[in-house]
Amino acid sequence: MKILLIFGTRPEAIKLFPVARALAETPGVDPLICVTAQHRGLLDQVLAIAGLTPDVDLDLMEPGQTLDRLTARLLTGLGEAMDRLKPDRVIVQGDTATAMTGALAAYYRRIPVAHVEAGLRSGNIYHPWPEEVNRRIVAPIADLHFAPTATAAEALARENITAGVHVTGNTVIDALQWTSARIAADPALATGLDPIAARFAGKKIVLVTTHRRENFGDGMANIANAIARIAAHDDVAVLFPMHPNPNVGAVMDAILGDRPNVARIDPLDYPHFIRALGLCHLALSDSGGVQEEAPALGKPVLVMRDTTERPEGIAAGTARLVGADADRIVSEVFTLINDKAAYAAMARAHNPFGDGQAASRIARVIAGG
Ligand code: UDP
């Protein structure tokens, strides 16, 4: 049985490499990989760490391409790849343009689709934009829905999708555990952060990531101002692996510039990012994946968004929505830095997102076991 895994961005690669590895160990299954390279550099970092070589690489990234153009190129490119590879099933992950067009191209060929990380909903089609609609388009096409949590399965049920739904846990926890074990066996995988760890020794490190389209513009300027105010405190430092999107860098250059307490660095490969999560006191992020990983490592995460499709972290008390509002961000960061009880309440290492066995559950279902 030929199973075609399709992905194009860093988070999809992180969340699908455990599935590719589990399928490769499943008798009777021949996993194939097609990457769209929607994010070229960030994707390649994950492929290298995970030891995956794509069977097809569409290499579709172009600087500044519109969503229309990206979508059109993905749809035709993925359709052609399917015509060539003739898979028995396609697997897509999450909510990207790659996932949406991969599902649609498979549907046009009547190839069954499995959706990993199914059932995430914010309820607002502009937050996150365009991801909320991307994932909703995949749902009626897929015949297998791998929901990471019971909450996600309930969201699917509200859309009358109950057949083929399996609650598996989120594969990001598999990726985190696998990579953490690799770092434990070979610490050299993450020593690139040693100079920053030494430079910020004794300070409480706030790890920042931001890349959501809906924060581009005013939101990004607010985030930059908040970082400047946080880093004005001597006992705090900001570690900020910056997404390569120019909408992030230009604002940060203009507002933040160079500051002694802020390390603005290139995106980290996955082992180094896990090390950064380990070093930090808290994470300040608009990322989806970081909302799942930080609680698994006992780190509070302040989410710079107004809504989240991951309410489990909010319910568990490990994550809090702070929007892209400078005053709110600064005040919540300093509450966690100064108030030990507030910090302890959020830092409970309770992880509602999975147990690290999601990929093997998914492989069993795919293989029909
Ligand atoms: N990540 C990484 N290096 C970085 C920043 C993030 O490897 O410098 C990882 C992080 O661990 C998480 C994923 O990238 O698994 C999140 O990706 P992103 O924030 O781009 O997308 P989202 O999760 O919001 O879809």
Side-chain angles (χ1 to χ4, degrees), residues 10-11 14 172 209 211-212 241 243 267-270 273 287-290 293:
R10 172 177 65 195
I14 289 172
V172 78
T209 76
H211 73 98
R212 292 245 89 83
H243 199 276
L268 294 167
D269 68 20
Y270 196 46
F273 191 75
S287 158
V290 176
E293 293 159 337

Side-chain angles (χ1 to χ4, degrees), residues 252-269:
M252 296 303 156
D253 284 345
I255 295 176
L256 267 182
D258 282 332
R259 285 164 200 257
N261 273 2
V262 181
R264 278 204 287 145
I265 56 174
D266 287 338
L268 294 167
D269 68 20

